[in-house]
Amino acid sequence: MRTATAFCLATAMLGSADAFTTSGPAFRTQTALSAAVSRSNFIKQAAGVAASIAIATPSLPAFAEQEEVKLPSGTSYLIVTSGDGPQPKVGELAGIRFRAEVIQTGNKIDDILDSPEPYYTRVGSGGLLKGVEEVLPTMRVGDRRILTIPNNMAFGPKGRPSSAGKPRIPGDAIIRFEVEMVSLPGREQELIDLIGDE
């Protein structure tokens, strides 16, 4: 990276030195020639700086600061956002938003990530993919993660046939599942205040 930065800066400096060479008709006045050189100098320096920034700045993949967490089952995830809310217990009702797609084909399975109403599920009830069920108890309200779920923790070797409103999922599909934990209805202070904590 230092080599690329040095190369870009040298190129920019050579470009700015070259900006003072004049070319063009000999009949220009001194003022017009100075203005042309100044404009040319500015454009070359700006181009040199822009090129050096573009080359010296590494292109960062999404979530470059995050490390991928791999679980023994083969499911892995990246933490997009860390929340500071409570962590659910198995059997507790949780409100989540999610988006799921088949990695191999890019086909969307479901997407309620931007919907105002979350999907409610009991943590650990088995109502979601095994890979999602494995990760949910480790999340806190406010967490957002991108899961990569291997076929054995998703739809398995048979996949899922299409049905009304549900696309076909091929066998051995690897699933990308972005999930956000938005609420634990049983722990919302407003409800506790209203009905009591008994």
Side-chain angles (χ1 to χ4, degrees):
M1 183 159 134
R2 287 184 180 177
T3 307
T5 305
F7 175 75
C8 291
L9 292 176
T11 304
M13 288 174 20
L14 288 174
S16 63
D18 190 36
F20 291 106
T21 60
T22 59
S23 62
F27 59 89
R28 288 190 197 177
T29 64
Q30 184 61 31
T31 307
L33 185 57
S34 296
V37 170
S38 296
R39 254 183 307 224
S40 174
N41 183 25
F42 172 77
I43 291 170
K44 286 185 180 180
Q45 283 183 346
V49 169
S52 65
I53 290 171
I55 293 173
T57 305
S59 58
L60 297 175
F63 318 110
E65 295 291 317
Q66 307 295 327
E67 281 190 40
E68 185 175 31
V69 177
K70 289 190 180 240
L71 303 175
S73 67
T75 299
S76 62
Y77 63 86
L78 293 170
I79 299 172
V80 178
T81 306
S82 291
D84 57 359
Q87 195 169 357
K89 295 178 180 144
V90 173
E92 196 168 9
L93 191 64
I96 62 171
R97 289 194 183 97
F98 62 88
R99 174 182 344 192
E101 68 180 28
V102 177
I103 290 179
Q104 293 96 319
T105 62
N107 290 344
K108 189 185 329 181
I109 298 170
D110 206 345
D111 186 355
I112 62 163
L113 202 57
D114 298 322
S115 73
E117 186 66 26
Y119 175 79
Y120 292 98
T121 184
R122 292 233 174 252
V123 176
S125 67
L128 299 171
L129 297 176
K130 291 177 192 174
V132 178
E133 292 282 353
E134 182 180 30
V135 173
L136 278 183
T138 67
M139 295 178 70
R140 296 184 167 280
V141 172
D143 279 0
R144 188 171 187 164
R145 297 182 183 177
I146 297 178
L147 287 58
T148 302
I149 305 171
N151 65 336
N152 64 319
M153 296 296 282
F155 294 97
K158 292 185 179 180
R160 181 184 77 185
S162 61
S163 60
K166 294 182 177 182
R168 177 187 169 281
I169 298 169
D172 293 325
I174 300 169
I175 307 299
R176 178 177 295 118
F177 197 95
E178 186 171 355
V179 61
E180 178 182 19
M181 183 161 301
V182 294
S183 68
L184 294 174
R187 294 214 210 155
E188 292 177 354
Q189 193 59 43
E190 193 175 294
L191 285 174
I192 293 171
D193 293 342
L194 183 66
I195 59 175
D197 186 19
E198 297 180 37

